[in-house]
Amino acid sequence: MDRISSPRKTKEIVQKYGFKFSKSLGQNFLIDQNILDNILDGANICSEDYVIEVGPGIGSLTQNIAERSNSVLAIEIDKTLLPILKETLKNYSNVEIINEDVLKMDLNKLVKEKIADKKPKVVANLPYYVTTPIIMKFLEEKVPIESLTIMIQKEVADRIQAKPGTKDYGTLSIAVQYYCNPKILLKVPPSVFIPQPKVESSVIRLDVLEKPRVYVEREDLFFGLVKDAFGKRRKTLLNALSSGNLKLEKDLLREVLSASNIDEKRRGETLNIEEYATLANNLAKRL
Ligand code: SAM
């Protein structure tokens, strides 16, 4: 029997149900079994694992997760996909479909109620229009997950994994690296999707750290400094931070930069996450 991901099967399902792809919901379905195997291998899914999938579509990734894991909770916003999923996944009793907008859900409550004290893994071919909000929701709300293995735009994956001093390094790199170890696993061309997206994609795994990478007394100050420093990334730190949203006085900034051993003429893009933490903690002492 054809797998859901085979191009022939996918086209057959789409035709049978008269399904119309929604661009605004980021619907690009995977039709390459090799890529699906790579995602599952990269996520290290085994028979003990509880998995949360965001956006099952017609179920091609879901089928693969269900075959390798203990169970799958799949959250799908589009109710026109529900009758399709009911049929395509009818042989998998370990799959539960939840018809919700993932961004509006209480994910901590979901994990508590459905998975109890186990830490699930998130696996998804994400809708690209909400890639960052979905990642940040899991991380900022401190949902107890082990990892996220996700297909996202290549450009976003590069920004997430970027190191200081590179053009891709920015607020997203720091926001994600604060909570996770990121690792890009593979690059994916548009040809493995129906319909084909306009951009290249990457699969990235984010292993969630037991506690944030650096200790910060006040996360609002830490992220506020990062945002201001990158808001004007061509300016020196002193100028960028004194004209940013935190509205910090130059005298106070000079004192805090000096106490942190950071030259005021450096630019924000050269500071690593530990230096931002030191800066934020020295600022917190003086406010
Ligand atoms: N997993 C399928 C695959 O790989 O073929 C489909 C992936 S497709 C890129 C993204 C899926 O996410 C679509 O099924 C779309 O309807 C769903 N989706 C979009 N926005 C969502 C949201 N806010 N919450 C839950 N699902 C969403």
Side-chain angles (χ1 to χ4, degrees):
M1 213 176 68
D2 277 352
R3 295 189 66 73
I4 303 170
S5 62
S6 88
R8 209 184 61 173
K9 184 78 181 170
T10 297
K11 279 179 198 148
E12 189 189 300
I13 295 167
V14 164
Q15 261 176 13
K16 179 173 169 192
Y17 287 88
F19 177 74
K20 301 264 177 295
F21 288 92
S22 160
K23 224 182 191 172
S24 63
L25 288 179
Q27 290 177 338
N28 302 93
F29 297 165
L30 272 166
I31 50 160
D32 187 310
Q33 188 55 40
N34 271 333
I35 300 287
L36 289 163
D37 290 339
N38 282 327
I39 296 174
L40 273 282
D41 289 345
N44 289 325
I45 299 299
C46 67
S47 58
E48 318 272 281
D49 285 329
Y50 291 75
V51 177
I52 296 179
E53 184 191 2
V54 178
I58 60 169
S60 48
L61 180 57
T62 326
Q63 176 181 43
N64 287 275
I65 305 170
E67 285 167 351
R68 285 213 210 173
S69 67
N70 176 301
S71 60
V72 195
L73 280 176
I75 305 163
E76 175 55 62
I77 195 172
D78 183 354
K79 68 174 180 330
T80 69
L81 286 165
L82 300 187
I84 304 184
L85 287 163
K86 202 168 171 192
E87 183 186 321
T88 57
L89 299 172
K90 63 174 185 286
N91 296 328
Y92 298 89
S93 57
N94 59 345
V95 176
E96 183 178 343
I97 307 291
I98 299 169
N99 182 210
E100 291 274 0
D101 176 346
V102 69
L103 292 174
K104 296 196 178 137
M105 289 184 79
D106 183 338
L107 294 170
N108 274 298
K109 190 166 157 223
L110 178 81
V111 172
K112 212 175 196 172
E113 284 178 2
K114 304 270 185 191
I115 311 178
D117 53 350
K118 297 273 192 314
K119 267 192 180 180
K121 292 176 175 169
V122 176
V123 179
N125 170 19
L126 286 182
Y128 291 176
Y129 76 108
V130 277
T131 302
T132 307
I134 293 176
I135 297 173
M136 294 318 297
K137 181 174 172 74
F138 277 98
L139 299 180
E140 285 174 349
E141 293 181 10
K142 302 189 166 59
V143 184
I145 54 169
E146 210 169 284
S147 58
L148 296 110
T149 305
I150 45 182
M151 174 88 75
I152 59 179
Q153 303 96 300
K154 177 184 174 298
E155 182 234 331
V156 179
D158 291 344
R159 278 165 44 211
I160 286 176
Q161 198 180 261
K163 295 270 179 286
T166 63
K167 72 168 177 25
D168 288 329
Y169 186 60
T171 50
L172 185 62
S173 327
I174 294 178
V176 175
Q177 291 174 30
Y178 178 69
Y179 297 104
C180 304
N181 279 331
K183 185 163 192 261
I184 294 175
L185 303 175
L186 66 144
K187 229 171 81 173
V188 181
S191 58
V192 303
F193 301 88
I194 287 184
Q196 296 192 12
K198 292 203 170 66
V199 293
E200 282 193 300
S201 306
S202 290
V203 177
I204 189 168
R205 193 182 68 227
L206 309 174
D207 290 318
V208 180
L209 301 165
E210 284 292 325
K211 56 182 176 38
R213 183 174 303 278
V214 285
Y215 169 75
V216 293
E217 214 151 296
R218 283 183 49 188
E219 285 187 345
D220 61 327
L221 281 183
F222 172 74
F223 288 113
L225 282 171
V226 172
K227 217 166 165 195
D228 282 353
F230 284 101
K232 294 179 178 147
R233 63 190 290 154
R234 309 306 303 165
K235 288 194 173 191
T236 63
L237 267 178
L238 185 70
N239 286 334
L241 296 180
S242 60
S243 57
N245 287 329
L246 289 178
K247 303 205 182 325
L248 299 168
E249 296 288 334
K250 279 196 174 174
D251 285 347
L252 170 68
L253 269 172
R254 282 203 174 91
E255 200 186 312
V256 173
L257 283 161
S258 156
S260 311
N261 280 322
I262 297 170
D263 188 331
E264 63 177 65
K265 293 204 183 65
R266 281 175 67 186
R267 290 203 299 243
E269 64 197 16
T270 70
L271 266 61
N272 62 30
I273 194 163
E274 288 78 13
E275 288 177 306
Y276 275 111
T278 306
L279 200 57
N281 290 338
N282 278 321
L283 180 61
K285 280 186 209 149
R286 287 163 175 81
L287 288 181

